[in-house]
mmCIF file of all heavy atoms in Angstrom:
data_model
loop_
_atom_site.group_PDB
_atom_site.id
_atom_site.type_symbol
_atom_site.label_atom_id
_atom_site.label_comp_id
_atom_site.label_asym_id
_atom_site.label_seq_id
_atom_site.Cartn_x
_atom_site.Cartn_y
_atom_site.Cartn_z
ATOM 1 N N VAL X 199 7.047 0.533 14.191
ATOM 2 C CA VAL X 199 8.105 1.397 13.667
ATOM 3 C C VAL X 199 7.533 2.743 13.220
ATOM 4 O O VAL X 199 8.199 3.779 13.349
ATOM 5 C CB VAL X 199 8.869 0.699 12.525
ATOM 6 C CG1 VAL X 199 8.088 0.721 11.216
ATOM 7 C CG2 VAL X 199 10.228 1.360 12.313
ATOM 8 N N PHE X 200 6.301 2.766 12.741
ATOM 9 C CA PHE X 200 5.684 4.040 12.383
ATOM 10 C C PHE X 200 5.383 4.869 13.637
ATOM 11 O O PHE X 200 5.509 6.091 13.630
ATOM 12 C CB PHE X 200 4.423 3.815 11.567
ATOM 13 C CG PHE X 200 4.675 3.686 10.094
ATOM 14 C CD1 PHE X 200 4.757 2.451 9.487
ATOM 15 C CD2 PHE X 200 4.853 4.811 9.313
ATOM 16 C CE1 PHE X 200 5.003 2.325 8.133
ATOM 17 C CE2 PHE X 200 5.098 4.712 7.951
ATOM 18 C CZ PHE X 200 5.173 3.463 7.362
ATOM 19 N N VAL X 201 4.985 4.197 14.720
ATOM 20 C CA VAL X 201 4.762 4.906 15.986
ATOM 21 C C VAL X 201 6.068 5.518 16.480
ATOM 22 O O VAL X 201 6.116 6.681 16.918
ATOM 23 C CB VAL X 201 4.183 3.953 17.045
ATOM 24 C CG1 VAL X 201 4.148 4.613 18.414
ATOM 25 C CG2 VAL X 201 2.771 3.511 16.640
ATOM 26 N N LEU X 202 7.144 4.752 16.403
ATOM 27 C CA LEU X 202 8.446 5.257 16.851
ATOM 28 C C LEU X 202 8.931 6.391 15.963
ATOM 29 O O LEU X 202 9.492 7.384 16.455
ATOM 30 C CB LEU X 202 9.462 4.119 16.844
ATOM 31 C CG LEU X 202 9.264 3.029 17.903
ATOM 32 C CD1 LEU X 202 10.185 1.846 17.618
ATOM 33 C CD2 LEU X 202 9.520 3.572 19.301
ATOM 34 N N ALA X 203 8.732 6.253 14.664
ATOM 35 C CA ALA X 203 9.251 7.245 13.726
ATOM 36 C C ALA X 203 8.597 8.608 13.902
ATOM 37 O O ALA X 203 9.186 9.631 13.540
ATOM 38 C CB ALA X 203 9.063 6.758 12.290
ATOM 39 N N ARG X 204 7.397 8.647 14.450
ATOM 40 C CA ARG X 204 6.733 9.930 14.702
ATOM 41 C C ARG X 204 7.515 10.774 15.691
ATOM 42 O O ARG X 204 7.373 12.002 15.709
ATOM 43 C CB ARG X 204 5.315 9.689 15.236
ATOM 44 C CG ARG X 204 4.360 9.094 14.234
ATOM 45 C CD ARG X 204 4.006 10.060 13.136
ATOM 46 N NE ARG X 204 3.190 11.184 13.596
ATOM 47 C CZ ARG X 204 2.769 12.160 12.823
ATOM 48 N NH1 ARG X 204 3.086 12.168 11.552
ATOM 49 N NH2 ARG X 204 2.043 13.131 13.310
ATOM 50 N N ARG X 205 8.371 10.135 16.496
ATOM 51 C CA ARG X 205 9.138 10.868 17.511
ATOM 52 C C ARG X 205 10.527 11.248 17.015
ATOM 53 O O ARG X 205 11.246 11.972 17.709
ATOM 54 C CB ARG X 205 9.282 10.002 18.764
ATOM 55 C CG ARG X 205 7.953 9.461 19.280
ATOM 56 C CD ARG X 205 8.185 8.542 20.439
ATOM 57 N NE ARG X 205 6.922 7.965 20.906
ATOM 58 C CZ ARG X 205 6.808 7.217 21.980
ATOM 59 N NH1 ARG X 205 7.883 6.932 22.705
ATOM 60 N NH2 ARG X 205 5.639 6.741 22.340
ATOM 61 N N TRP X 206 10.908 10.732 15.880
ATOM 62 C CA TRP X 206 12.231 11.009 15.350
ATOM 63 C C TRP X 206 12.187 12.250 14.472
ATOM 64 O O TRP X 206 11.114 12.754 14.138
ATOM 65 C CB TRP X 206 12.724 9.809 14.529
ATOM 66 C CG TRP X 206 12.843 8.539 15.324
ATOM 67 C CD1 TRP X 206 12.970 8.434 16.666
ATOM 68 C CD2 TRP X 206 12.806 7.199 14.816
ATOM 69 N NE1 TRP X 206 13.029 7.111 17.042
ATOM 70 C CE2 TRP X 206 12.938 6.334 15.937
ATOM 71 C CE3 TRP X 206 12.696 6.646 13.548
ATOM 72 C CZ2 TRP X 206 12.944 4.952 15.800
ATOM 73 C CZ3 TRP X 206 12.717 5.269 13.398
ATOM 74 C CH2 TRP X 206 12.839 4.437 14.521
ATOM 75 N N PRO X 207 13.350 12.769 14.089
ATOM 76 C CA PRO X 207 13.365 13.879 13.120
ATOM 77 C C PRO X 207 12.754 13.443 11.787
ATOM 78 O O PRO X 207 12.323 12.299 11.626
ATOM 79 C CB PRO X 207 14.869 14.199 12.991
ATOM 80 C CG PRO X 207 15.482 13.693 14.255
ATOM 81 C CD PRO X 207 14.685 12.479 14.640
ATOM 82 N N ASP X 208 12.791 14.327 10.823
ATOM 83 C CA ASP X 208 12.117 14.055 9.555
ATOM 84 C C ASP X 208 12.631 12.809 8.846
ATOM 85 O O ASP X 208 11.897 12.160 8.097
ATOM 86 C CB ASP X 208 12.252 15.262 8.616
ATOM 87 C CG ASP X 208 11.387 16.425 9.059
ATOM 88 O OD1 ASP X 208 10.477 16.198 9.869
ATOM 89 O OD2 ASP X 208 11.624 17.555 8.596
ATOM 90 N N TRP X 209 13.897 12.452 9.078
ATOM 91 C CA TRP X 209 14.420 11.258 8.415
ATOM 92 C C TRP X 209 13.717 9.988 8.893
ATOM 93 O O TRP X 209 13.801 8.948 8.245
ATOM 94 C CB TRP X 209 15.927 11.128 8.618
ATOM 95 C CG TRP X 209 16.383 11.227 10.053
ATOM 96 C CD1 TRP X 209 16.889 12.330 10.670
ATOM 97 C CD2 TRP X 209 16.366 10.194 11.037
ATOM 98 N NE1 TRP X 209 17.192 12.067 11.983
ATOM 99 C CE2 TRP X 209 16.887 10.750 12.240
ATOM 100 C CE3 TRP X 209 15.974 8.861 11.047
ATOM 101 C CZ2 TRP X 209 17.008 10.031 13.414
ATOM 102 C CZ3 TRP X 209 16.097 8.140 12.222
ATOM 103 C CH2 TRP X 209 16.604 8.716 13.379
ATOM 104 N N GLY X 210 13.019 10.071 10.030
ATOM 105 C CA GLY X 210 12.286 8.912 10.530
ATOM 106 C C GLY X 210 11.218 8.440 9.562
ATOM 107 O O GLY X 210 10.855 7.263 9.545
ATOM 108 N N ILE X 211 10.697 9.358 8.722
ATOM 109 C CA ILE X 211 9.689 8.973 7.728
ATOM 110 C C ILE X 211 10.270 7.946 6.765
ATOM 111 O O ILE X 211 9.659 6.902 6.500
ATOM 112 C CB ILE X 211 9.210 10.211 6.949
ATOM 113 C CG1 ILE X 211 8.636 11.261 7.901
ATOM 114 C CG2 ILE X 211 8.197 9.824 5.884
ATOM 115 C CD1 ILE X 211 8.332 12.588 7.235
ATOM 116 N N LEU X 212 11.457 8.238 6.254
ATOM 117 C CA LEU X 212 12.085 7.324 5.303
ATOM 118 C C LEU X 212 12.498 6.018 5.966
ATOM 119 O O LEU X 212 12.381 4.948 5.364
ATOM 120 C CB LEU X 212 13.304 7.997 4.658
ATOM 121 C CG LEU X 212 13.010 9.225 3.790
ATOM 122 C CD1 LEU X 212 14.298 9.753 3.177
ATOM 123 C CD2 LEU X 212 11.999 8.896 2.708
ATOM 124 N N VAL X 213 12.980 6.099 7.201
ATOM 125 C CA VAL X 213 13.358 4.878 7.929
ATOM 126 C C VAL X 213 12.142 3.971 8.088
ATOM 127 O O VAL X 213 12.207 2.761 7.844
ATOM 128 C CB VAL X 213 13.967 5.220 9.295
ATOM 129 C CG1 VAL X 213 14.165 3.962 10.139
ATOM 130 C CG2 VAL X 213 15.300 5.929 9.121
ATOM 131 N N ALA X 214 11.020 4.541 8.500
ATOM 132 C CA ALA X 214 9.803 3.752 8.692
ATOM 133 C C ALA X 214 9.367 3.115 7.381
ATOM 134 O O ALA X 214 8.956 1.951 7.352
ATOM 135 C CB ALA X 214 8.690 4.635 9.255
ATOM 136 N N TYR X 215 9.468 3.868 6.286
ATOM 137 C CA TYR X 215 9.043 3.332 4.991
ATOM 138 C C TYR X 215 9.946 2.198 4.530
ATOM 139 O O TYR X 215 9.460 1.166 4.042
ATOM 140 C CB TYR X 215 9.030 4.452 3.950
ATOM 141 C CG TYR X 215 8.485 4.013 2.614
ATOM 142 C CD1 TYR X 215 7.126 3.782 2.448
ATOM 143 C CD2 TYR X 215 9.323 3.834 1.516
ATOM 144 C CE1 TYR X 215 6.613 3.380 1.221
ATOM 145 C CE2 TYR X 215 8.825 3.438 0.299
ATOM 146 C CZ TYR X 215 7.469 3.207 0.155
ATOM 147 O OH TYR X 215 6.966 2.796 -1.060
ATOM 148 N N VAL X 216 11.250 2.357 4.696
ATOM 149 C CA VAL X 216 12.193 1.303 4.295
ATOM 150 C C VAL X 216 11.959 0.038 5.107
ATOM 151 O O VAL X 216 11.942 -1.081 4.575
ATOM 152 C CB VAL X 216 13.642 1.801 4.445
ATOM 153 C CG1 VAL X 216 14.624 0.639 4.281
ATOM 154 C CG2 VAL X 216 13.950 2.889 3.425
#
Side-chain angles (χ1 to χ4, degrees):
V199 77
F200 273 98
V201 171
L202 291 170
R204 292 291 291 179
R205 308 176 183 186
W206 299 338
D208 288 343
W209 51 261
I211 302 171
L212 295 182
V213 171
Y215 185 73
V216 170

